[in-house]
Amino acid sequence: TFGILRKELIESLGIEYAKFFLQRYGWNIGVTHAKEVDYLPLTLTEKLNSAVGYHLASGQITDLLSERVLQLNPDDTVKYMYAKGIWVNSYEVGEHIKHFGESDSCICHTLAGYSSGFTSYLTKKEVYIVEMTCRAKGDEHCAFEMRMLEHWDSETQSDLKKISQSRMIDDLNKTYKELYEEKKHTERVSSFHNNLTLSISQGMNIDQILETIY
């Protein structure tokens, strides 16, 4: 079912919009799950570790190999966080290859979105996962890295902010406004050319033509 939905999104929206849609979808699921976990009498580390159980129980992956560095301030807030790991048998890879074949880019978007949303909610920090290699590309593993937003490079930061902040409708509205302004500009240019052509056909002299252009 997810594979069919994913296929329709990519064919309807294009790969780039579908990517952000799926990342936001995963992000929102991650936040919802984190809210449930946050009520439990667990330490922050135990709460973060519970994400693995969700991945496995839902069939998104068959195993998760990871290592994490978590540094806390005296008040138990997060000072520094970094993780890397491998998603074993990502369900997104199987569905993407079935419908589209091998990919030119990493495609485990809901997995990255889920982990980013889940971790960000619990740590009260902007923490994002980026898939570095993907079996859909022909790589050996679906490997990822997790960093706090400020520890990613500026180009990656710009892309990551779109996951939690941008909406497709905002981009469509922006495009509509740009097209509307371009339409008005085109109408002004067309009107100018029509008037100039009419004036020349009616015998306007060079001084009058220059005045009209001015």
Side-chain angles (χ1 to χ4, degrees):
T1 303
F2 175 79
I4 294 171
L5 171 63
R6 200 175 188 284
K7 176 177 179 290
E8 291 295 324
L9 285 170
I10 292 174
E11 291 179 345
S12 301
L13 305 178
I15 190 68
E16 196 64 18
Y17 273 122
K19 169 187 173 181
F20 289 120
F21 182 96
L22 291 167
Q23 285 177 327
R24 283 179 59 82
Y25 169 73
W27 175 284
N28 289 327
I29 293 176
V31 169
T32 299
H33 185 214
K35 289 178 179 178
E36 297 173 358
V37 172
D38 207 23
Y39 284 110
L40 301 177
L42 303 172
T43 65
L44 177 59
T45 298
E46 290 171 332
K47 290 176 181 178
L48 292 171
N49 289 341
S50 70
V52 180
Y54 176 85
H55 281 316
L56 297 176
S58 62
Q60 293 180 344
I61 56 176
T62 59
D63 200 3
L64 176 66
L65 311 174
S66 66
E67 53 186 69
R68 180 175 63 216
V69 177
L70 178 63
Q71 297 177 1
L72 301 177
N73 293 309
D75 61 354
D76 209 34
T77 58
V78 175
K79 179 180 180 181
Y80 173 80
M81 186 173 189
Y82 171 80
K84 64 179 181 179
I86 293 172
W87 292 309
V88 179
N89 295 325
S90 161
Y91 74 139
E92 291 190 82
V93 170
E95 291 302 321
H96 187 92
I97 291 177
K98 181 168 67 177
H99 293 292
F100 298 103
E102 198 165 281
S103 173
D104 295 328
S105 58
C106 297
I107 56 84
C108 297
H109 306 314
T110 61
L111 289 177
Y114 173 86
S115 298
S116 300
F118 182 85
T119 306
S120 293
Y121 183 86
L122 290 178
T123 61
K124 306 300 185 286
K125 299 285 185 180
E126 288 191 82
V127 182
Y128 292 91
I129 273 189
V130 173
E131 190 177 16
M132 312 304 288
T133 62
C134 185
R135 288 193 303 112
K137 290 172 52 186
D139 297 323
E140 185 178 1
H141 301 294
C142 293
F144 63 85
E145 289 189 23
M146 174 186 284
R147 305 174 192 265
M148 296 169 68
L149 180 63
E150 59 268 30
H151 297 148
W152 288 106
D153 62 81
S154 57
E155 183 178 350
T156 303
Q157 285 185 34
S158 179
D159 283 340
L160 292 173
K161 287 179 180 178
K162 295 177 183 178
I163 301 175
S164 59
Q165 297 176 4
S166 69
R167 298 182 304 162
M168 187 172 66
I169 189 64
D170 296 329
D171 289 339
L172 291 175
N173 285 334
K174 179 183 177 183
T175 301
Y176 170 78
K177 290 178 182 178
E178 291 173 349
L179 288 173
Y180 180 69
E181 290 301 318
E182 182 64 24
K183 178 177 179 290
K184 290 197 297 182
H185 174 70
T186 302
E187 288 174 346
R188 287 196 297 268
V189 171
S190 177
S191 176
F192 166 74
H193 278 290
N194 289 338
N195 290 335
L196 187 60
T197 301
L198 180 62
S199 298
I200 292 174
S201 68
Q202 292 176 346
M204 181 183 286
N205 62 44
I206 188 67
D207 289 334
Q208 290 173 316
I209 291 174
L210 291 174
E211 180 65 23
T212 299
I213 294 173
Y214 175 79

